[in-house]
Amino acid sequence: MSYKVGIDVSGGDYAPKEIIKGAMLAKQEFGADTVLIGRVEEIEEQLSLYGCSSHDFSLVDAPQNIEMAESPAASIRRKKKSSIVVGTSLLKEKKIDAFVSCGNTGAVVCASTLILGLIEGVERPGIALMLPTKKGISLVVDVGANIDCKPLHLFQYGIMASVYYKLVLNKKDPTVALLNIGEEATKGSEILKNLHQLFYSSSLNFKGNLEARDILSGKYDCIICDGFVGNVALKVVEGSAETVGRFLVETIGRGFWGKLNLFMIKNRLKKFKGLLDYAEYGGAPLLGVEGIVIIGHGRSNHLAVKNAIKVALREVERNLTTEINRRVNEICQDSGVRQMLAP
Amino acid sequence: MSYKVGIDVSGGDYAPKEIIKGAMLAKQEFGADTVLIGRVEEIEEQLSLYGCSSHDFSLVDAPQNIEMAESPAASIRRKKKSSIVVGTSLLKEKKIDAFVSCGNTGAVVCASTLILGLIEGVERPGIALMLPTKKGISLVVDVGANIDCKPLHLFQYGIMASVYYKLVLNKKDPTVALLNIGEEATKGSEILKNLHQLFYSSSLNFKGNLEARDILSGKYDCIICDGFVGNVALKVVEGSAETVGRFLVETIGRGFWGKLNLFMIKNRLKKFKGLLDYAEYGGAPLLGVEGIVIIGHGRSNHLAVKNAIKVALREVERNLTTEINRRVNEICQDSGVRQMLAP
C-alpha cells in the first residue's frame, strides 16, 4: 500500500520552488506519493518549469499563507485556507498519512495540537531535533514547542524520544539523558533533581545528566530539556558553527599564501559544511500529536524536503503514534512511576 | 595607592602552578600587588621553583580545598579554612580589595553572597561572562549564579551589566537585550514578554530580544538571561567551537596532501584557537555582591589568571560596587519602573 505525504508548499524561506523540487526528488528516488498543498496556480507553474505535469501529483488549493512572524494561535484561527490549516485538516480526515511543513513552527505546533489533538495520555507535544554528531544522531526533545515545561512533560518527552529512537532510528535500548548545567545529580533546578528519580524508577535506559558542552558529543541517544532551553541550545549550536566556520576561513585565507591554502582545502571545507548542515538531516518530528507531522527548518532546500518526506514515510510505516500511545500509557501506569507522580 | 588582589591558589584545573604563574606575571607586567591564598608550603615551593622569593608576595594560609564536584553550601559551611572561604572573609574585612578564584563556581557565589552580602537593593548576584565576538565583547548575565530567575532579577541584571559595560569596558550608552527564542516581542515566556515593558519604561538603552543564534554576533553589548539558559548557552558555545574546530582539522588533514595543507595553515589555526579561548579574556565578574569578586574559568592558565587580576583591579579603581548600588536604586525607584514592579 502506498502512503500519501502532504507537503506545505507555501512554508519556508525557499518556498515554493525548493519545496516542490524536494517532492519531485522524493518521487524520483523512492516513489513517494505526495500531495502538494498551496496556491495551485503557482504549483502548476513551477511544475511546468521543470517539465513536470500536474497530473503526476495531487494538488490541494490553500491560497492563504501564514508568515514566519505571525502569531501562531491568531493566524490559524484567522487563516482557515492557509497551507498549514488545510494540511493538518487533511491529516485529521485521513486523506493524507503525514504532513510536512517548513513554515511557521509555532503555527504548525498550534494547528496540530488543536486540529489533530494529542495522543491519549500525552500532556504536551514536543519537537524532536535530530542533531548530527560524530557518533550518530542525538535526538533532542523539546526544541521549542513547550516553553513552560512541567516535570511530567519532560518525563513524557523521555518516553516519546526513546520510542522514536527505537522505532524509527532502529536502536534497541536507546539511552536517555537530561540536559543540565552539570553532570552531577545534584545540579540544576529542583524540577530536574526530582526528574532523576522519576526516570530512574521507570524502565527507560536513563543515564542521568548531560552537560551542555557535550551536546555534540553523541554521548547519549535522547537528550531531554524544556523547549526554551532546547531552542536556545540548538540555535547557539547553529550560530556558533557558522561563526566559527567563517572566522576560520577568514583566518586561514589572509594574504596570498593564505588564499592559496584556502583554495587547496576548498573541497574539504565544502564537505565539512555538509556535516553541519542540519537541513540535510530532514525535518524535526512533532511528537505527541495524533498524526505524523514533520517540521522542516525554515531554510530547508530540496534535499532537506526530500529527507523530511523520507522520515515521514518511515514514521507512518512503523506506526509511530500507536507505539507512543502504548508506551506512554504503559510507563505512566507503572506502579513505581505512578507513586512518584502522585500529588 | 596600590590595591591588593587576593588570589585563590587552590582552585582550578591547573592549580596551584598556573595560578601562581599568573600572579607573578601580573606583578611583572603591571606591578599588581597580590595576596596568594592557599597551602603556604605549596606556594613557597612553587615560588622557589621559579626563583621567586616568598617575600615578593603576601601569603595567607588556607589548608583546605573545595573540590569542583562538592556541594557549594555544604562545603563552605564545613571548610572554613578553604581558600574560597578565607579569601571572601579577607575581602569582607577589607584586607584585600578584590578576590579572584578559578575554583568551584557555586562555592564562590555562595561564599560571596553569605560572607560579603549583596549590594543594598540588589536581589540576586549574577555571573557576567565576557563573550568575545568579532565586534567586541558581549557581556552575558547570568551564566549560572541563579537558575530560578524572577523578572526583577533579570531586570537588575540588565542594570548591573549596563553599569559594568559603561564603567569597566568604557562604552557610553551600552545596549541591552534579552536572550530569547525569537526576535519578535511576542516570543518567549510570559515573564520575558512582561520584562520588555519593564525595560522599555526604564532609562536603559534596551533593544528588545536577541535570538540565540546571534549570540556570537556582537550585535548588543549586554545580553540578559536566566542562569540556567545562560549556562547552557555558554557551554554549548564552548562545546561547539571545540567540536567544529576538531571536525574541521580532521576533515582538512586527511591523506598526504591534507596533512601538508594542515601543516601550512598550522600557525593560522593556532591564532584562530586563541580567538575562541575564553580563558584569555580573564574571568567572569560576580555582579551584585558587596565586593569585587572574579570567577575564573576552571581551565584557566596563567594568562587567564593575569587577565582576571587586571580586570579585578580595573573594577576596584572604577568603584564598581558603589556605582551598581547607585544605579540599581536610582532606576528601581524611578516612577515608571516602580509602577511596573508594584504587585
Side-chain angles (χ1 to χ4, degrees):
Chain A
M1 181 195 155
S2 155
Y3 296 110
K4 274 183 194 300
V5 180
I7 320 278
D8 169 6
V9 169
S10 307
D13 297 353
Y14 308 121
K17 210 172 169 155
E18 288 291 313
I19 313 289
I20 294 175
K21 229 170 124 187
M24 286 169 54
L25 200 61
K27 189 182 185 73
Q28 210 177 318
E29 275 191 23
F30 45 89
D33 189 2
T34 52
V35 178
L36 307 180
I37 305 159
R39 293 185 191 91
V40 163
E41 277 173 42
E42 207 175 57
I43 300 174
E44 283 174 340
E45 192 188 335
Q46 283 291 325
L47 285 173
S48 75
L49 276 178
Y50 293 110
C52 216
S53 155
S54 58
H55 298 294
D56 292 344
F57 294 89
S58 308
L59 268 49
V60 172
D61 196 37
Q64 290 176 313
N65 186 28
I66 296 175
E67 304 295 332
M68 286 300 191
E70 277 187 83
S71 151
S75 59
I76 68 157
R77 246 194 331 264
R78 227 177 37 237
K79 296 184 169 174
K80 298 286 182 210
K81 293 195 168 165
S82 61
S83 46
I84 291 174
V85 173
V86 171
T88 39
S89 303
L90 287 173
L91 186 55
K92 174 75 182 173
E93 297 156 12
K94 299 202 188 305
K95 290 185 178 148
I96 53 177
D97 300 290
F99 177 55
V100 173
S101 174
C102 306
N104 182 318
T105 300
V108 178
V109 174
C110 200
S112 303
T113 310
L114 293 179
I115 296 169
L116 302 171
L118 295 177
I119 294 174
E120 208 199 314
V122 172
E123 295 272 324
R124 287 283 186 287
I127 301 172
L129 182 90
M130 296 187 222
L131 199 63
T133 78
K134 267 182 82 174
K135 292 189 193 161
I137 284 169
S138 284
L139 196 69
V140 188
V141 187
D142 169 49
V143 297
N146 179 4
I147 58 172
D148 187 23
C149 279
K150 304 271 177 297
L152 180 58
H153 306 164
L154 291 164
F155 180 57
Q156 293 194 336
Y157 289 157
I159 304 173
M160 293 196 283
S162 182
V163 168
Y164 192 91
Y165 214 104
K166 188 178 169 189
L167 210 64
V168 183
L169 302 174
N170 305 317
K171 187 159 178 182
K172 210 182 157 215
D173 196 17
T175 51
V176 178
L178 282 172
L179 184 66
N180 205 335
I181 54 174
E183 283 192 345
E184 306 84 4
T186 55
K187 292 271 173 148
S189 61
E190 285 307 309
I191 285 184
L192 289 185
K193 284 183 216 166
N194 295 334
L195 256 177
H196 267 240
Q197 312 232 327
L198 192 53
F199 271 111
Y200 277 125
S201 70
S202 79
S203 57
L204 294 170
N205 189 5
F206 183 62
K207 294 295 186 186
N209 289 326
L210 173 81
E211 203 176 358
R213 61 173 296 125
D214 293 329
I215 198 164
L216 288 175
S217 69
K219 216 166 161 182
Y220 303 117
D221 301 320
C222 308
I223 302 174
I224 308 306
C225 53
D226 97 53
F228 191 93
V229 171
N231 197 285
V232 165
L234 152 72
K235 285 183 178 159
V236 170
V237 168
E238 283 188 8
S240 15
E242 265 187 40
T243 309
V244 169
R246 212 166 22 208
F247 262 42
L248 202 58
V249 166
E250 280 170 23
T251 313
I252 295 174
R254 223 163 278 153
F256 173 73
W257 290 108
K259 286 203 177 52
L260 187 65
N261 282 326
L262 198 60
F263 178 75
M264 305 204 21
I265 59 173
K266 216 174 83 181
N267 283 327
R268 304 265 170 119
L269 282 179
K270 255 191 203 151
K271 203 170 155 193
F272 165 75
K273 218 181 146 201
L275 261 181
L276 291 169
D277 196 349
Y278 301 111
E280 288 201 9
Y281 293 80
L286 179 63
L287 301 180
V289 294
E290 196 50 88
I292 303 296
V293 177
I294 307 276
I295 301 173
H297 198 290
R299 293 190 289 171
S300 290
N301 58 12
H302 61 284
L303 288 175
V305 173
K306 180 201 76 180
N307 288 332
I309 296 170
K310 196 189 260 173
V311 169
L313 282 170
R314 210 182 302 155
E315 291 180 28
V316 176
E317 283 160 9
R318 311 269 164 104
N319 268 315
L320 180 68
T321 42
T322 313
E323 188 60 15
I324 285 181
N325 174 271
R326 196 182 67 75
R327 284 290 282 164
V328 163
N329 288 293
E330 183 181 274
I331 293 183
C332 290
Q333 287 309 313
D334 186 90
S335 65
V337 171
R338 249 171 58 199
Q339 215 171 352
M340 296 279 318
L341 287 173
Chain B
M1 180 196 158
S2 155
Y3 296 110
K4 273 183 194 302
V5 180
I7 320 279
D8 169 4
V9 169
S10 305
D13 297 353
Y14 307 121
K17 211 171 167 157
E18 288 291 313
I19 313 289
I20 294 175
K21 229 170 122 186
M24 286 169 54
L25 200 61
K27 189 184 184 71
Q28 210 178 318
E29 275 191 22
F30 44 89
D33 189 1
T34 51
V35 178
L36 306 180
I37 304 159
R39 294 186 192 90
V40 163
E41 276 173 41
E42 208 175 56
I43 299 173
E44 283 174 340
E45 193 187 333
Q46 283 290 326
L47 285 173
S48 74
L49 276 178
Y50 293 111
C52 216
S53 155
S54 58
H55 298 293
D56 293 343
F57 294 89
S58 308
L59 267 50
V60 172
D61 197 37
Q64 289 176 314
N65 186 29
I66 296 176
E67 302 295 332
M68 285 301 190
E70 276 187 83
S71 151
S75 59
I76 67 156
R77 245 192 334 262
R78 230 179 33 240
K79 296 185 169 173
K80 299 286 181 210
K81 292 194 168 166
S82 61
S83 46
I84 291 173
V85 173
V86 171
T88 38
S89 303
L90 287 173
L91 187 54
K92 173 76 182 174
E93 297 155 12
K94 299 201 187 308
K95 289 184 178 149
I96 53 178
D97 300 289
F99 178 55
V100 172
S101 174
C102 305
N104 182 318
T105 300
V108 178
V109 174
C110 201
S112 303
T113 311
L114 294 179
I115 295 169
L116 302 172
L118 295 176
I119 294 174
E120 208 198 314
V122 171
E123 294 273 324
R124 286 283 185 288
I127 302 173
L129 182 91
M130 296 188 221
L131 198 64
T133 79
K134 267 182 82 173
K135 292 190 194 161
I137 284 170
S138 283
L139 196 69
V140 188
V141 187
D142 169 48
V143 296
N146 180 4
I147 57 172
D148 187 23
C149 280
K150 304 271 176 296
L152 181 58
H153 306 165
L154 290 164
F155 181 57
Q156 292 194 336
Y157 290 157
I159 304 173
M160 293 196 283
S162 182
V163 169
Y164 192 92
Y165 214 105
K166 188 176 169 190
L167 210 63
V168 183
L169 301 174
N170 305 318
K171 187 161 178 182
K172 208 180 158 215
D173 196 18
T175 51
V176 178
L178 281 172
L179 184 66
N180 205 335
I181 54 175
E183 283 192 346
E184 306 85 3
T186 54
K187 292 272 173 150
S189 60
E190 285 307 309
I191 285 184
L192 289 184
K193 284 183 216 165
N194 294 334
L195 257 177
H196 268 240
Q197 312 229 327
L198 192 53
F199 271 111
Y200 278 124
S201 70
S202 77
S203 57
L204 294 171
N205 189 7
F206 183 62
K207 294 294 186 186
N209 289 326
L210 173 81
E211 203 175 357
R213 62 172 297 124
D214 293 330
I215 197 164
L216 288 176
S217 68
K219 215 167 162 183
Y220 303 118
D221 301 320
C222 307
I223 302 174
I224 308 305
C225 54
D226 98 52
F228 191 93
V229 171
N231 198 284
V232 165
L234 151 72
K235 285 184 179 160
V236 170
V237 168
E238 283 189 8
S240 16
E242 265 187 40
T243 308
V244 169
R246 213 168 20 209
F247 263 40
L248 201 58
V249 166
E250 280 170 23
T251 313
I252 296 174
R254 223 164 279 152
F256 173 74
W257 290 108
K259 286 203 176 53
L260 187 66
N261 282 327
L262 198 60
F263 178 77
M264 306 208 13
I265 59 172
K266 218 174 81 181
N267 282 329
R268 304 265 170 117
L269 282 179
K270 255 193 204 150
K271 202 170 156 193
F272 165 74
K273 219 182 144 200
L275 261 181
L276 291 168
D277 195 350
Y278 302 112
E280 288 202 9
Y281 293 79
L286 179 63
L287 301 180
V289 295
E290 196 50 89
I292 303 297
V293 176
I294 306 277
I295 301 174
H297 198 291
R299 293 190 290 170
S300 290
N301 59 12
H302 61 283
L303 288 175
V305 173
K306 181 200 77 180
N307 288 332
I309 296 170
K310 196 189 261 173
V311 170
L313 282 170
R314 210 182 303 155
E315 291 181 26
V316 176
E317 283 159 9
R318 311 269 165 103
N319 267 316
L320 180 68
T321 42
T322 313
E323 188 61 15
I324 285 181
N325 173 272
R326 195 181 68 76
R327 284 290 281 165
V328 164
N329 288 295
E330 184 181 272
I331 293 181
C332 289
Q333 287 309 314
D334 187 271
S335 65
V337 172
R338 248 170 58 197
Q339 215 170 353
M340 296 280 317
L341 286 173

